[in-house]
Amino acid sequence: MMPKLWTKRRLAMFLGLFAGGVAQAAAAMAAAYLALRTLSGDTTQGTIAGLTGTAIAAALLNVFIRRGSESFAQSFVHELRIAFFGHVMCAPADGKSMRYGLVMTRIVNDFSAIKLWLSDGLVTLAIAVAAFL
């Protein structure tokens, strides 16, 4: 039996990551525009303050996206591990071969590496989609 992987909480987390990616892209574009104005000679206090604020916002959003995607990936992969582990435990009782149990155990153990890949992939997806908007 597969667990329900897309719960309301996970969907909210994913949409939050997506919104964070859009906000980070907007902050980065605003910082680039303000940096261009600063390099063009506009050194008013508002331009410098805006540049500082957008740079800090982009950095904080980056931290939010990294931590959120890691949390999302860990919860998502944990549910998958539990589901596959249930199949591993039932394999001898179902009359499956020993090789089947070993393959399923290897899959369960490989999920710890997959969660890191998934979290980095979510960060990349959030930033890439936001860049194209």
Side-chain angles (χ1 to χ4, degrees):
M1 180 177 127
M2 286 297 288
K4 188 174 181 182
L5 296 175
W6 286 102
T7 61
K8 291 179 184 178
R9 181 177 176 269
R10 281 202 195 100
L11 189 58
M13 286 175 69
F14 185 75
L15 292 176
L17 288 171
F18 179 76
V22 171
Q24 183 183 19
M29 287 188 287
Y33 173 73
L34 291 171
L36 178 66
R37 283 185 55 184
T38 303
L39 290 173
S40 299
D42 182 11
T43 57
T44 60
Q45 188 175 3
T47 304
I48 301 297
L51 178 60
T52 305
T54 55
I56 290 172
L60 291 176
L61 284 166
N62 187 32
V63 171
F64 165 74
I65 290 172
R66 292 246 174 235
R67 292 191 64 137
S69 65
E70 185 177 344
S71 172
F72 177 85
Q74 284 179 349
S75 68
F76 196 80
V77 171
H78 178 72
E79 290 292 332
L80 285 176
R81 285 183 76 171
I82 295 298
F84 276 107
F85 190 69
H87 287 293
V88 170
M89 295 304 287
C90 293
D94 291 340
K96 306 281 187 190
S97 69
M98 192 64 136
R99 181 171 166 78
Y100 177 80
L102 292 174
V103 169
M104 293 299 282
T105 304
R106 173 126 189 192
I107 289 172
V108 169
N109 291 335
D110 286 344
F111 276 135
S112 59
I114 291 172
K115 71 181 170 192
L116 297 175
W117 171 82
L118 180 62
S119 67
D120 284 342
L122 283 172
V123 170
T124 305
L125 179 69
I127 293 171
V129 170
F132 287 114
L133 291 180

